[in-house]
Amino acid sequence: MEQEIVEFWADSRDEIIGKCIKLSVNDAILEPGEGYQGNRELLFDSLWNALLGDMQAGTWAKTEELVGGLAREAIRYGRDVEPIQRIIEILMESSHEAAKAQYQEDPGKVSMITGHIREYLDKAMIILAKSTIKAQAEVIKKQKDYLLELSTPVMPLLDGILVLPLIGTIDTRRARQIMDNLLSGIVEAQADTVLIDISGVPIVDTQVAHHLMKTVQAARLLGARCIIVGIRPEFAQTIVKLGIDFGTIVTKNSLQAGLKLALKWHNYELRRVGGGGPDASTGTNS
Amino acid sequence: MHQQVPILKIDDFWIASVQGSLHDQDVIEFKQALLSKIMQPKSRGLIIDLTVLDVVDSFVTKTLIDIRGLAKLMGIPVIIAGMSPAVAITLVEMGLSLEGVDTALNLQKGLDKLRNAGKER
């Protein structure tokens, strides 16, 4: 019986593909999908071949490979997966029609045959959904890693002075990364002074304040002093309201003030040589 | 088998370099040895170098705090030098931030600090 159904599908291949193409012309979802309208014939064909191959072999391997590959490709190039879903739907409709046309006089047989194809196409849908979610999760993970890489630069400013500008929201994961980066930066540069600029951190809550304290304490254990600069009024209020003791931590209102203090600690002196203002004749950058 | 911590003298400063992790018994002996050294007249400071130490437990930390307190009573400044990031993170996560203990990035900076502190006095 199974054999017979598979043979029926194999025989009516041309008919079904033809129907699919007719259905897909002017389809609202397929129309704007880049790359799908042009080679839809190829898509229907390869999907049908994969399904037939799997039916004959009794596996899912070919369908899985094809649909999974399509979903991954769509996600990678930022395309919608809806057209792929639509293609499977159209295949379902046209095969249903083909079965009805063939066995008009026997509704029982029609429902059996369509039930058979439905099983395969449902499986294809599930594969599509699964692959899409998996591909999206991969993309998200990659982006997260990129973001972390970008987000915590430790800059050596002068001999023994580091600057750590913090920008964006700090969560536990990032706080951990910041601490690791800063500590290894301190050891690498053998720096005794670190300026932590938090003016770019939009929300400062207990969690962030706690991480900040821990980072400062760990840096102190290594033998480096931290100056926290750029504390905005809201942050100051949060700190006071929450009753967090910033007691021993050195803070300054601006990066400039912090830098001045750091230079003083290192016995540097910052002063102008010659006349005031940048030299107009050689450009402002000199 | 236990591990001796070498305690060396440079000028009037004592330098103890902790090599590898210590058992509790070693830690106690280490503390006693250190105290007897800095008791000597003319001692002006103590540096405990942790450069090669990569694991600490709470007992070692407590002993470090003890040593610092005892030395302070004897008028000897103590500096902990060369702690590694991993150890620092462990201590902070355990909530032991060694408040009041002086630290330095390396042995050289520790010595410089002690010398400067001596001058100011």
Side-chain angles (χ1 to χ4, degrees):
Chain A
M1 190 63 226
E2 173 103 12
Q3 196 62 37
E4 193 185 320
I5 296 173
V6 174
E7 262 165 33
F8 165 70
W9 290 128
D11 289 344
S12 44
R13 180 193 160 278
D14 288 343
E15 190 191 342
I16 289 170
I17 302 292
K19 274 197 167 80
C20 283
I21 290 165
K22 222 192 288 166
L23 274 172
S24 68
V25 171
N26 298 330
D27 189 274
I29 295 164
L30 285 182
E31 193 67 51
E34 318 116 59
Y36 290 116
Q37 190 61 267
N39 57 12
R40 62 186 192 279
E41 195 173 338
L42 197 73
L43 267 175
F44 284 125
D45 201 28
S46 52
L47 185 56
W48 190 247
N49 279 344
L51 282 170
L52 273 183
D54 278 346
M55 279 181 202
Q56 275 150 7
T59 59
W60 302 107
K62 282 183 183 155
T63 317
E64 192 144 14
E65 195 186 321
L66 180 77
V67 176
L70 282 174
R72 273 194 297 277
E73 196 187 288
I75 294 296
R76 190 177 309 141
Y77 295 111
R79 286 200 300 252
D80 214 343
V81 289
E82 216 183 335
I84 305 173
Q85 185 194 339
R86 184 75 192 130
I87 280 170
I88 297 172
E89 274 171 18
I90 289 174
L91 209 53
M92 179 97 81
E93 280 168 38
S94 47
S95 55
H96 190 78
E97 273 176 29
K100 253 206 282 197
Q102 182 76 17
Y103 298 103
Q104 269 168 339
E105 70 293 338
D106 191 352
K109 193 149 193 180
V110 172
S111 72
M112 197 174 70
I113 289 178
T114 48
H116 179 260
I117 192 82
R118 185 176 292 273
E119 191 190 327
Y120 279 85
L121 288 168
D122 278 351
K123 182 76 183 177
M125 280 293 195
I126 292 169
I127 292 169
L128 175 66
K130 266 189 185 163
S131 316
T132 308
I133 291 168
K134 219 173 132 193
Q136 270 171 343
E138 271 167 29
V139 169
I140 291 171
K141 195 186 161 292
K142 241 186 217 160
Q143 283 174 342
K144 245 186 187 167
D145 289 346
Y146 288 152
L147 212 61
L148 275 178
E149 264 173 42
L150 285 175
S151 66
T152 52
V154 180
M155 305 189 288
L157 189 66
L158 266 174
D159 194 22
I161 303 178
L162 293 180
V163 178
L164 178 74
L166 297 181
I167 293 164
T169 313
I170 299 175
D171 56 6
T172 312
R173 200 165 116 104
R174 237 194 111 193
R176 179 104 218 166
Q177 165 119 10
I178 289 167
M179 196 199 269
D180 285 352
N181 272 12
L182 178 64
L183 295 189
S184 52
I186 287 171
V187 172
E188 209 171 287
Q190 291 288 300
D192 339 75
T193 307
V194 183
L195 288 158
I196 303 177
D197 181 9
I198 58 162
S199 55
V201 183
I203 305 157
V204 182
D205 53 8
T206 17
Q207 201 65 336
V208 175
H210 182 64
H211 287 311
L212 210 55
M213 298 263 288
K214 279 209 287 197
T215 308
V216 172
Q217 282 169 348
R220 198 189 65 84
L221 284 175
L222 292 189
R225 277 183 292 188
C226 291
I227 305 171
I228 296 183
V229 298
I231 295 185
R232 282 171 295 118
E234 308 94 78
F235 181 28
Q237 279 188 6
T238 315
I239 297 287
V240 173
K241 223 182 265 166
L242 294 172
I244 301 169
D245 183 19
F246 255 50
T248 53
I249 297 176
V250 183
T251 53
K252 282 281 168 193
N253 56 356
S254 66
L255 189 58
Q256 287 96 319
L259 184 59
K260 265 185 197 155
L261 181 65
L263 291 175
K264 205 174 125 198
W265 282 351
H266 283 252
N267 298 322
Y268 281 117
E269 191 191 358
L270 193 62
R271 64 189 171 89
R272 256 191 192 137
V273 183
D279 194 340
S281 63
T282 52
T284 47
N285 281 334
S286 65
Chain B
M1 118 166 196
H2 58 218
Q3 201 164 5
Q4 286 286 342
V5 179
I7 303 173
L8 316 166
K9 197 179 179 205
I10 294 182
D11 297 338
D12 293 331
F13 305 113
W14 293 100
I15 293 164
S17 181
V18 180
Q19 317 276 335
S21 52
L22 299 169
H23 292 294
D24 287 3
Q25 189 55 39
D26 301 333
V27 175
I28 294 166
E29 281 168 24
F30 170 57
K31 183 167 99 176
Q32 292 305 333
L34 263 187
L35 290 177
S36 66
K37 296 279 191 204
I38 58 172
M39 276 234 323
Q40 293 175 13
K42 281 178 72 183
S43 299
R44 277 171 53 208
L46 168 66
I47 298 175
I48 301 173
D49 176 45
L50 303 180
T51 309
V52 280
L53 193 69
D54 47 13
V55 181
V56 282
D57 57 24
S58 52
F59 189 69
V60 172
T61 319
K62 182 188 165 293
T63 310
L64 289 177
I65 296 171
D66 281 357
I67 291 172
R68 185 251 170 192
L70 292 163
K72 200 181 168 202
L73 283 176
M74 294 189 242
I76 308 282
V78 178
I79 285 181
I80 301 208
M83 192 184 286
S84 65
V87 172
I89 291 173
T90 316
L91 288 184
V92 170
E93 293 293 343
M94 288 198 294
L96 303 163
S97 59
L98 300 179
E99 283 302 330
V101 179
D102 249 338
T103 51
L105 272 171
N106 50 41
L107 198 54
Q108 180 65 58
K109 290 196 171 165
L111 263 179
D112 292 347
K113 247 187 188 177
L114 280 182
R115 290 211 169 101
N116 286 337
K119 263 182 231 157
E120 277 163 23
R121 235 185 278 158

